[in-house]
Amino acid sequence: MKRLRNKIKMGLAANLNIKEFMLMPASPIDELAINTIRFLAVDAVEKAKSGHPGMPMGAAAVAYVLWDRFLKHNPADPEWPDRDRFVLSAGHASAMLYALLHLTGYDLSLEELKQFRQWQSRTPGHIEYGLTPGVEVTTGPLGQGFACAVGIAMAERWFASRYNTPDCEIIDHHTYVLASDGDMEEGVVGEAASLAGTLRLEKMVCFYDDNGVSIEGSTDIAFTEDVGARFRGYGWNVIGPVDGLDIAALEKATRKAKTQKGRPSLIICQTTIGYGSPNKQGTAAAHGEPLGEEEVHACKKCLGWPYPEPFTIPDEVRAHFAGARARGERAQRDWLAKLAEYRGKYPDKAAELERELGGELPPGWDEGLENVFSPGEKPLATREASGKVLNAIAPKIPALIGGSADLAPSTKTAINGAGDFSASNYAGRNLHFGVREHAMGCVASGLALGGAIPYTGTFLIFYDYMRPPVRLAAMMGIRVIYVFTHDSIGLGEDGPTHQPIEQLMGLRLVPNLVTLRPADATETAEAWRIAIERRNGPTALVLSRQKLPVLDRAALAPANGTSQGGYILWEASHQPQVILIATGSEVHIALEAGRLLKEENGVAGRVISLPSWELFDAQPEDYREKVLPSGITARVAMEAGTAHGWERYTGGNGAIIGLDHFGMSAPGPVLYERFGFTARRMAGKALEQLKRR
Amino acid sequence: MKRLRNKIKMGLAANLNIKEFMLMPASPIDELAINTIRFLAVDAVEKAKSGHPGMPMGAAAVAYVLWDRFLKHNPADPEWPDRDRFVLSAGHASAMLYALLHLTGYDLSLEELKQFRQWQSRTPGHIEYGLTPGVEVTTGPLGQGFACAVGIAMAERWFASRYNTPDCEIIDHHTYVLASDGDMEEGVVGEAASLAGTLRLEKMVCFYDDNGVSIEGSTDIAFTEDVGARFRGYGWNVIGPVDGLDIAALEKATRKAKTQKGRPSLIICQTTIGYGSPNKQGTAAAHGEPLGEEEVHACKKCLGWPYPEPFTIPDEVRAHFAGARARGERAQRDWLAKLAEYRGKYPDKAAELERELGGELPPGWDEGLENVFSPGEKPLATREASGKVLNAIAPKIPALIGGSADLAPSTKTAINGAGDFSASNYAGRNLHFGVREHAMGCVASGLALGGAIPYTGTFLIFYDYMRPPVRLAAMMGIRVIYVFTHDSIGLGEDGPTHQPIEQLMGLRLVPNLVTLRPADATETAEAWRIAIERRNGPTALVLSRQKLPVLDRAALAPANGTSQGGYILWEASHQPQVILIATGSEVHIALEAGRLLKEENGVAGRVISLPSWELFDAQPEDYREKVLPSGITARVAMEAGTAHGWERYTGGNGAIIGLDHFGMSAPGPVLYERFGFTARRMAGKALEQLKRR
């Protein structure tokens, strides 16, 4: 096999008799089924004039063995909680998955396959969760699927540990991943694999489609490592290399992996990209573009496919795959019977489990939330406030689990007394991600997809390490809560490498992400409420390292204005002359500026706390107009981050106090003073504004 | 050692006699020197009331052995091109490096050490390139230093390969890295290590400070992998574990690593975090905060340090380190003699080498650049135009080297005929990064620090994978060119996972990064000119996948307006009624809208091409006022990305056509139409603007 692949690499593909490969021929129906998958994918790409035929052709047998012989799923109910998960980390092989979904009876018509990559089809270029039934994770950007699958496997262990009883394993499923060379090259896979090894996630199995080719050519030019040795180093059970065409060997390897105890498994499958295409197989040319009509023809001939008509599904293949749906329905029925028994014996547990899997919150989960902080509370950082809120609500929401990328003591993200999630205690709720922000983001998505309400914790600057999963969570519309602390130059001495400038605004640019930067402890409690209740997308909480006063809500507006994104916190008069806008720690400076203006200059100011742009922008126009009347154009905004974008609220003539350069290493208060984040400067800018008119 | 560390982990630290550790005692002067490093760091942290004492205390001996016995450097000339590089990837151990720099005679006074982490000191919390002499790379965010060092080591091999002659090795130095557990957990280290293994960078040596402790406690909670096995998998020579206190063993290991052929080396050094602190060593408490006065006292007693006064440097230690400067001056003198000989024998090569190491461009490097595209040029994507420009200038700028994260055929970033940089040909100029965007960004920084003019290539969406190194390059003020193609929904069928929405604006938010999104081939040539000539910071080129017309510069303004960031491309009249602003591919739509307004509505429009916000904002006010007169408030901006931030140019009343949701999988033209990026819509918005007045 290896030898043959080398021959192909050496450009001899065209002279090879493809049958040479079939060292261990599959049974006729298997072979026909595998070719059906291949050609559905090839035809879809051809029709779209766009897409990736190479991996479907090379990895079809691998996917087929898993789907035909092992995968526990019910195509009639893609939401069945105890199904096995199949995560196609190589999202570009989408057409292969669509073929499998169609063939095994998911609600995905052949017509949809014909609409591959077209406007409003359910068969987009890279697979999308929520759009296509049976797609478990949105993938495409490499590495994301694999790392997300680690989170899914963790969720399985968590639910199993919490809800299974000695007489009833109500949660018991596997997480399978199909990953490519490109996935293996991405660092996030290393991070997640190391974590999976540490956590001994024995029910995770990854098929590595080792085809030795990537876009620039042979992987040898950039990737000569021994992947198996690396994964063994992570603590994985490594199986293979297995010939990716050898059904029996694949079956044996999968069985071995499935029953492996104490370690996740990697099955290295040696395959040939574009298998069956006489002129392109084994080369990068087969990867990411249609084969072309002529080559498709040659390919069909080569693989002995007798149907010239595209999108043909032989009757015997249809009949063969019908078994999938029957098996799935039976399996789910058995499980439902088990669940009924479980409900009878453990009604409370069952109710809780079902509520959690349904994404519902326990009734009264937020009782007393408004009283976590008393009016006379001493100043505290919003990160500390966040820690208190988390610990106030965590006992009421069991599925709220999370942790930090090795910064828990700083991010205040530990749940007291809830135990550590570890190989010896999967029921623990405190996760230790290690210094792996990227994997943390992906794992959090996996946990959410698995039914938990996950939160992460790191410094805001390290959002830069986890942008890809935050974006995908927003795209998937799943509930993940990102706690980002140390949110500005206020963190002080750690210096510019740790001081966010563009990160806060960067969060606001991501569609369907809600970002909240609360001004004090009470707004922090409200921010958590919003994050927990938000079911259709992720939320970022942006919190201070430094202590901040707890605003006196008797004298100021109540903190529940947070839910509107922005609100009038204080005003000297209902007819203010100037509007001061700020978020987070700068709200206190704005309040002081308002006081100065009133007392020293007799100028009436209004202070807007604007914790969330997204929520504010979503308010009805009359509310926004009430808060920011268009007639009052004298406006000053202050935020200890980039000034960029604040024109939205200051208008063309307003002033913005922000930072358009990197920070410095010095105590936080020194930086605030030196960089001009002072009440006096803000008041001065306001007076300038008024003078200009 | 291991056993002892375990005892420490078990909380027995306080009961240990620290002397137990000194299994193989260092010579008195070594021990005194190491303790001097430790206590300079401890005292600096203590005085600043902020910082990281743990790693300096634990790893001082490791660093000392390297600096005292091996490092080829001249403290009197930190810029000596053939010095060995020392990259402290664990940037939080800054105080240790400052101690070494001071002791070995760099221009860094003891007074500066006393100003650790203070306003405008040269001793910031995390080390900063360009600020402190002898600091090779800005680090702090973990993993960055290690991955950057791979680039530095690659630059060494490239220059050596290109300029060394059989009789004269003018370039011949090592790249040493000191990395922590946290570095090893970051995925980017895995990416870069795999690449270094593939490239057989034998002159790279990494000391791994394996102290088994990170912020949340023992690394066992998240990191049980076998790092040595993993690195062997990458193709590294793994040495150790070595006792991090055993001078002789460290010396032997370093010697072995330094002479290793064909493989980079990892020396695993087992150390104790906070070594010498009786109550904190071996625990996370020693990591990131001052020990406290009492503990410092106990620590000094424990290690037999007789000087109660902070910042004490014993005379014999001063005398001992004086040798470093003497050795360094001698070494550089020898090298200069060699260079003189080289100049004599190879004057052309020498001139080129010196020019490159000085960061200068060859005279006439851009001759003919304006003629790469002829007036009648057929439509071509700006990525294709970029490839042509690259290939036009590459022959004239030998130090221009780069490549892509496995997307060269798509990003058009290959230099024809320039060979691949590989283990068998370090003189090649085409780099193959593999699917490792994050490491690519870091490696590019390392290449720039090593004297090359590097460029990278990937899709704009994957900027998300490489944000940390782009930010650090901007902070370091180094010349790196990022080619980002497939810059909008215009990429079409690959769908929302690949369609940037927030990335373009995200680039603009990074301080000291210049972003250019050219509208056509001619602007693309200008953009490359700007990027190449920019010496004090990185540049991002944002390019289309889809074909775009080449603007008729006879009828429109010349493309050199690009250098001003924005310019009047076309106007119906010198007194326009409405201004249409666009970048990149949308400029063509704006032109068409201008035409529609004129021909169908008799409205005089002006079209502004705004390829670079940073460059435009840096123009004198009168120029900006000329382009965007404040009196003309009817404005429409269009960009196929987030609308967020465009208020800067449209003002409070203008209209913005952008995208504040994710894209979709469909052909690009369909998306442009469906999402409203049409000339008719833009013209319509302009008319609305005029009506409102």
Side-chain angles (χ1 to χ4, degrees):
Chain A
M1 182 66 204
K2 187 80 185 174
R3 187 181 48 80
L4 284 176
R5 228 176 52 201
N6 286 339
K7 278 173 79 179
I8 293 167
K9 280 184 195 164
M10 286 150 61
L12 305 175
N15 303 324
L16 279 179
N17 174 357
I18 203 71
K19 286 288 169 196
E20 251 193 85
F21 283 78
M22 305 296 271
L23 304 177
M24 179 154 331
S27 75
I29 183 63
D30 289 338
E31 200 178 332
L32 200 62
I34 293 165
N35 277 337
T36 305
I37 297 167
R38 285 189 184 117
F39 287 114
L40 282 176
V42 164
D43 291 339
V45 170
E46 210 58 27
K47 181 155 192 295
K49 294 192 181 57
S50 165
H52 300 80
M55 182 164 166
M57 295 165 80
V62 177
Y64 170 75
V65 168
L66 174 66
W67 279 63
D68 190 62
R69 314 284 211 265
F70 296 94
L71 198 68
K72 179 178 81 172
H73 66 136
N74 181 6
D77 181 6
E79 307 282 312
W80 171 26
D82 200 39
R83 71 192 181 279
D84 287 341
R85 265 60 167 187
F86 174 73
V87 177
L88 179 60
S89 192
H92 56 275
S94 54
M96 179 176 76
L97 181 54
Y98 301 144
L100 280 163
L101 291 170
H102 172 71
L103 290 168
T104 55
Y106 282 79
D107 175 22
L108 190 72
S109 69
L110 195 58
E111 198 43 49
E112 286 283 359
L113 265 73
K114 294 179 184 170
Q115 289 302 308
F116 184 52
R117 293 181 158 237
Q118 303 309 306
W119 176 255
Q120 289 186 331
S121 78
R122 294 199 295 165
T123 48
H126 294 83
I127 57 174
E128 294 178 36
Y129 169 80
L131 180 64
T132 316
V135 168
E136 301 283 3
V137 183
T138 298
T139 60
L142 290 168
Q144 300 299 313
F146 179 100
C148 197
V150 172
I152 294 176
M154 285 165 65
E156 193 272 351
R157 288 293 78 199
W158 187 82
F159 278 101
S161 226
R162 182 171 175 86
Y163 293 103
N164 286 354
T165 58
D167 59 337
C168 190
E169 293 224 311
I170 198 69
I171 300 292
D172 176 22
H173 55 264
H174 280 76
T175 302
Y176 297 102
V177 183
L178 178 51
S180 61
D181 289 303
D183 287 297
M184 291 299 156
E185 293 180 42
E186 289 287 3
V188 68
V189 165
E191 294 181 3
S194 179
L195 186 63
T198 296
L199 294 174
R200 300 182 167 277
L201 299 176
E202 67 193 27
K203 298 174 86 177
M204 173 163 180
V205 177
C206 177
F207 297 86
Y208 164 30
D209 177 43
D210 176 16
N211 66 30
V213 168
S214 63
I215 294 175
E216 294 182 2
S218 160
T219 52
D220 290 350
I221 59 175
F223 187 56
T224 54
E225 67 170 56
D226 179 342
V227 174
R230 170 155 71 104
F231 272 72
R232 271 186 288 270
Y234 295 139
W236 283 53
N237 167 41
V238 176
I239 300 171
V242 173
D243 179 343
L245 293 175
D246 185 337
I247 304 293
L250 288 166
E251 207 176 319
K252 195 175 144 198
T254 310
R255 185 155 291 119
K256 204 171 146 196
K258 212 186 137 173
T259 52
Q260 170 70 35
K261 293 292 163 207
R263 283 185 291 168
S265 293
L266 180 78
I267 304 176
I268 301 176
C269 306
Q270 288 198 325
T271 67
T272 302
I273 193 169
Y275 176 80
S277 161
N279 299 297
K280 296 192 171 178
Q281 69 178 3
T283 76
H287 168 74
E289 54 192 28
L291 296 175
E293 201 184 315
E294 215 172 299
E295 186 69 9
V296 170
H297 184 75
C299 185
K300 289 183 174 176
K301 195 175 154 196
C302 189
L303 290 181
W305 183 253
Y307 312 99
E309 186 66 18
F311 299 101
T312 298
I313 301 172
D315 290 343
E316 53 271 51
V317 170
R318 276 241 176 270
H320 176 74
F321 276 112
R325 197 152 167 150
R327 282 194 304 276
E329 278 168 2
R330 207 159 48 234
Q332 186 170 4
R333 214 163 40 233
D334 292 350
W335 183 80
L336 286 169
K338 192 154 65 168
L339 180 63
E341 193 193 320
Y342 185 82
R343 277 200 202 104
K345 286 187 184 168
Y346 312 101
D348 294 350
K349 271 182 176 249
E352 191 175 283
L353 172 65
E354 291 186 80
R355 192 177 58 227
E356 285 170 0
L357 293 176
E360 304 294 337
L361 296 168
W365 73 270
D366 62 347
E367 260 169 36
L369 187 53
E370 61 283 3
N371 302 323
V372 174
F373 304 103
S374 47
E377 198 85 31
K378 285 201 190 118
L380 78 169
T382 48
R383 65 175 168 142
E384 291 172 68
S386 168
K388 288 187 187 210
V389 173
L390 172 63
N391 276 285
I393 58 180
K396 297 177 195 158
I397 311 178
L400 182 64
I401 65 178
S404 161
D406 196 43
L407 287 171
S410 297
T411 53
K412 312 292 179 194
T413 41
I415 303 175
N416 302 328
D420 287 348
F421 181 92
S422 71
S424 56
N425 176 26
Y426 289 124
R429 293 168 64 188
N430 288 301
L431 309 180
H432 296 284
F433 292 103
V435 190
R436 306 185 184 103
E437 299 82 4
H438 196 167
M440 175 170 71
C442 301
V443 165
S445 291
L447 290 166
L449 292 165
I453 303 179
Y455 64 88
T456 65
T458 188
F459 294 168
L460 178 55
I461 194 71
F462 300 131
Y463 165 46
D464 275 6
Y465 278 70
M466 52 190 285
R467 298 238 188 187
V470 172
R471 181 174 214 260
L472 284 182
M475 198 180 292
M476 289 192 274
I478 56 177
R479 176 165 47 192
V480 181
I481 302 167
Y482 307 108
V483 175
F484 291 118
T485 68
H486 295 59
D487 70 351
S488 75
I489 49 165
L491 65 86
E493 292 90 341
D494 273 347
T497 57
H498 284 56
Q499 291 162 358
I501 300 293
E502 69 276 28
Q503 284 67 27
L504 170 57
M505 196 62 74
L507 286 165
R508 294 182 183 131
L509 302 184
V510 181
N512 196 33
L513 175 67
V514 166
T515 300
L516 288 136
R517 186 174 186 237
D520 76 337
T522 52
E523 279 191 13
T524 305
E526 293 303 314
W528 265 101
R529 185 200 307 276
I530 292 160
I532 294 279
E533 287 183 341
R534 185 161 193 254
R535 288 186 60 168
N536 58 355
T539 304
L541 306 180
V542 176
L543 306 169
S544 76
R545 174 190 185 230
Q546 71 271 32
K547 285 190 196 308
L548 300 172
V550 180
L551 296 170
D552 176 5
R553 298 293 173 172
L556 303 164
N560 61 13
T562 303
S563 65
Q564 286 156 306
Y567 61 104
I568 303 168
L569 179 64
W570 171 88
E571 55 188 357
S573 144
H574 287 314
Q575 310 254 286
Q577 298 161 271
V578 60
I579 299 178
L580 308 176
I581 318 169
T583 74
S585 39
E586 287 72 73
V587 167
H588 305 274
I589 300 174
L591 281 171
E592 173 64 11
R595 192 189 60 78
L596 287 176
L597 284 169
K598 183 180 168 192
E599 295 180 4
E600 298 189 356
N601 310 94
V603 166
R606 164 184 289 184
V607 173
I608 308 295
S609 177
L610 192 64
S612 173
W613 289 26
E614 300 83 9
L615 297 181
F616 183 71
D617 291 352
Q619 297 305 309
E621 204 191 327
D622 62 339
Y623 178 78
R624 285 181 286 130
E625 177 64 23
K626 198 186 90 187
V627 174
L628 289 173
S630 37
I632 309 178
T633 58
R635 300 179 184 186
V636 188
M638 181 188 280
E639 188 169 77
T642 183
H644 219 301
W646 269 100
E647 293 90 348
R648 173 167 297 185
Y649 303 111
T650 58
N653 300 311
I656 306 165
I657 300 175
L659 272 173
D660 288 327
H661 53 78
F662 291 110
M664 251 178 138
S665 174
V670 173
L671 295 174
Y672 264 71
E673 180 71 32
R674 298 279 189 158
F675 289 148
F677 292 90
T678 64
R680 199 151 292 283
R681 178 147 176 252
M682 194 176 203
K685 290 272 182 196
L687 294 173
E688 274 173 35
Q689 293 270 307
L690 290 172
K691 250 181 252 160
R692 279 230 312 264
R693 258 135 260 268
Chain B
M1 183 65 204
K2 188 81 184 176
R3 186 182 48 80
L4 285 175
R5 227 173 58 199
N6 286 339
K7 279 173 78 176
I8 292 167
K9 280 184 196 163
M10 286 151 57
L12 304 176
N15 303 324
L16 278 179
N17 174 359
I18 203 72
K19 285 291 168 193
E20 251 193 85
F21 283 77
M22 306 295 272
L23 304 177
M24 178 151 337
S27 77
I29 184 64
D30 288 338
E31 198 178 333
L32 200 62
I34 293 165
N35 276 337
T36 304
I37 297 166
R38 286 190 183 118
F39 288 114
L40 282 176
V42 164
D43 290 340
V45 170
E46 210 59 28
K47 182 156 191 296
K49 294 193 181 56
S50 165
H52 300 79
M55 181 164 166
M57 295 166 81
V62 176
Y64 170 75
V65 168
L66 174 66
W67 280 63
D68 191 62
R69 313 285 213 264
F70 295 94
L71 198 69
K72 179 177 79 170
H73 65 136
N74 181 7
D77 181 5
E79 306 283 311
W80 171 26
D82 201 38
R83 70 192 181 279
D84 287 342
R85 265 59 167 187
F86 175 74
V87 177
L88 178 61
S89 192
H92 57 274
S94 55
M96 180 176 76
L97 181 54
Y98 300 144
L100 280 162
L101 291 170
H102 173 71
L103 290 169
T104 55
Y106 281 81
D107 175 22
L108 190 71
S109 69
L110 195 59
E111 196 45 47
E112 287 283 0
L113 266 72
K114 292 178 184 170
Q115 289 302 309
F116 184 53
R117 294 180 157 238
Q118 303 308 307
W119 176 255
Q120 288 186 331
S121 78
R122 293 199 293 164
T123 48
H126 294 82
I127 58 173
E128 294 178 37
Y129 169 79
L131 179 64
T132 316
V135 167
E136 302 282 4
V137 184
T138 298
T139 60
L142 290 168
Q144 299 300 312
F146 179 100
C148 196
V150 172
I152 295 176
M154 285 165 66
E156 194 272 349
R157 286 294 78 199
W158 187 82
F159 278 102
S161 226
R162 181 170 175 85
Y163 293 103
N164 287 353
T165 59
D167 59 336
C168 191
E169 292 224 309
I170 197 70
I171 299 293
D172 177 21
H173 56 263
H174 279 76
T175 302
Y176 297 103
V177 183
L178 178 51
S180 61
D181 288 302
D183 286 297
M184 291 300 155
E185 293 179 42
E186 289 287 3
V188 67
V189 164
E191 294 180 3
S194 180
L195 186 62
T198 297
L199 294 173
R200 300 181 167 278
L201 300 176
E202 66 192 29
K203 298 175 86 176
M204 174 163 180
V205 178
C206 177
F207 298 87
Y208 164 30
D209 177 44
D210 176 15
N211 67 31
V213 167
S214 63
I215 294 175
E216 294 183 1
S218 160
T219 50
D220 289 350
I221 58 175
F223 188 57
T224 55
E225 66 170 57
D226 178 342
V227 174
R230 170 155 69 105
F231 272 71
R232 270 187 289 270
Y234 294 139
W236 284 54
N237 168 41
V238 177
I239 301 171
V242 173
D243 179 343
L245 293 174
D246 185 337
I247 303 294
L250 288 166
E251 207 175 320
K252 194 174 146 199
T254 310
R255 185 154 292 121
K256 204 171 146 197
K258 210 185 139 175
T259 52
Q260 170 70 35
K261 293 292 163 207
R263 282 185 291 166
S265 293
L266 181 77
I267 304 175
I268 301 176
C269 307
Q270 288 198 325
T271 66
T272 303
I273 193 170
Y275 175 81
S277 160
N279 299 297
K280 295 191 171 178
Q281 68 178 2
T283 77
H287 168 74
E289 54 191 28
L291 295 175
E293 202 185 317
E294 216 172 298
E295 187 68 10
V296 171
H297 184 74
C299 186
K300 289 184 174 177
K301 196 176 154 194
C302 189
L303 291 180
W305 183 254
Y307 312 98
E309 187 65 19
F311 299 100
T312 297
I313 301 171
D315 290 342
E316 52 272 51
V317 170
R318 276 239 176 271
H320 177 73
F321 276 111
R325 195 152 168 151
R327 282 195 304 277
E329 279 168 2
R330 207 159 48 233
Q332 187 170 3
R333 215 163 38 234
D334 292 350
W335 183 80
L336 286 169
K338 192 155 63 170
L339 180 63
E341 194 192 320
Y342 185 82
R343 276 200 202 105
K345 288 186 185 168
Y346 312 101
D348 294 351
K349 272 183 177 247
E352 191 175 283
L353 173 64
E354 291 186 78
R355 192 178 59 227
E356 284 171 0
L357 293 176
E360 304 295 336
L361 296 167
W365 74 270
D366 61 347
E367 261 170 34
L369 187 53
E370 61 283 2
N371 302 324
V372 173
F373 303 102
S374 47
E377 197 86 30
K378 283 200 191 120
L380 77 169
T382 49
R383 64 176 168 141
E384 290 173 69
S386 168
K388 288 186 186 211
V389 173
L390 172 64
N391 276 284
I393 59 178
K396 297 178 195 157
I397 312 177
L400 182 64
I401 64 178
S404 161
D406 196 43
L407 287 171
S410 297
T411 54
K412 312 293 179 194
T413 42
I415 303 176
N416 302 328
D420 287 348
F421 181 92
S422 71
S424 57
N425 176 25
Y426 289 124
R429 292 168 66 187
N430 288 302
L431 309 179
H432 296 284
F433 292 103
V435 190
R436 305 185 184 104
E437 300 83 3
H438 196 167
M440 175 171 69
C442 301
V443 165
S445 291
L447 290 166
L449 291 165
I453 304 179
Y455 65 88
T456 65
T458 188
F459 294 167
L460 177 56
I461 194 70
F462 300 131
Y463 166 46
D464 275 7
Y465 278 71
M466 53 189 285
R467 298 237 188 189
V470 172
R471 182 175 213 259
L472 285 182
M475 199 180 294
M476 290 193 274
I478 56 177
R479 175 165 48 192
V480 180
I481 303 167
Y482 306 108
V483 175
F484 291 118
T485 68
H486 295 59
D487 70 350
S488 76
I489 49 165
L491 66 85
E493 292 91 339
D494 274 347
T497 59
H498 285 55
Q499 290 162 358
I501 300 294
E502 69 276 28
Q503 285 66 27
L504 170 56
M505 196 61 76
L507 286 165
R508 295 182 182 132
L509 302 184
V510 181
N512 197 34
L513 175 67
V514 166
T515 300
L516 288 136
R517 186 174 187 237
D520 76 337
T522 53
E523 280 192 12
T524 305
E526 293 304 314
W528 264 101
R529 185 201 306 277
I530 292 160
I532 294 279
E533 286 184 341
R534 186 161 193 252
R535 288 186 59 168
N536 58 354
T539 304
L541 306 180
V542 175
L543 307 169
S544 76
R545 173 188 186 232
Q546 71 271 33
K547 284 190 196 309
L548 300 173
V550 179
L551 295 170
D552 176 4
R553 298 293 173 172
L556 303 164
N560 62 13
T562 302
S563 65
Q564 287 156 306
Y567 62 104
I568 304 168
L569 179 62
W570 171 88
E571 54 189 356
S573 144
H574 288 314
Q575 310 254 285
Q577 298 161 272
V578 60
I579 300 179
L580 308 177
I581 318 169
T583 74
S585 39
E586 287 72 73
V587 168
H588 305 275
I589 300 173
L591 282 172
E592 172 64 10
R595 191 189 63 77
L596 287 177
L597 284 169
K598 185 180 168 193
E599 296 180 3
E600 299 190 355
N601 310 94
V603 165
R606 164 184 290 183
V607 173
I608 308 296
S609 176
L610 192 64
S612 173
W613 289 25
E614 301 83 9
L615 297 180
F616 183 71
D617 291 351
Q619 296 305 309
E621 203 190 327
D622 61 340
Y623 178 77
R624 284 180 286 129
E625 178 64 22
K626 198 186 89 186
V627 175
L628 289 173
S630 36
I632 310 177
T633 58
R635 301 179 183 187
V636 188
M638 181 189 279
E639 188 169 76
T642 182
H644 219 299
W646 269 100
E647 294 90 349
R648 173 167 297 186
Y649 303 110
T650 57
N653 300 312
I656 306 166
I657 300 175
L659 272 173
D660 289 326
H661 53 79
F662 292 109
M664 253 177 138
S665 174
V670 174
L671 295 174
Y672 265 70
E673 180 71 31
R674 298 279 189 159
F675 288 148
F677 292 90
T678 65
R680 199 151 294 281
R681 178 147 177 252
M682 194 178 203
K685 290 272 181 196
L687 294 174
E688 273 174 35
Q689 293 270 307
L690 290 171
K691 249 181 254 161
R692 277 232 310 265
R693 259 134 260 269

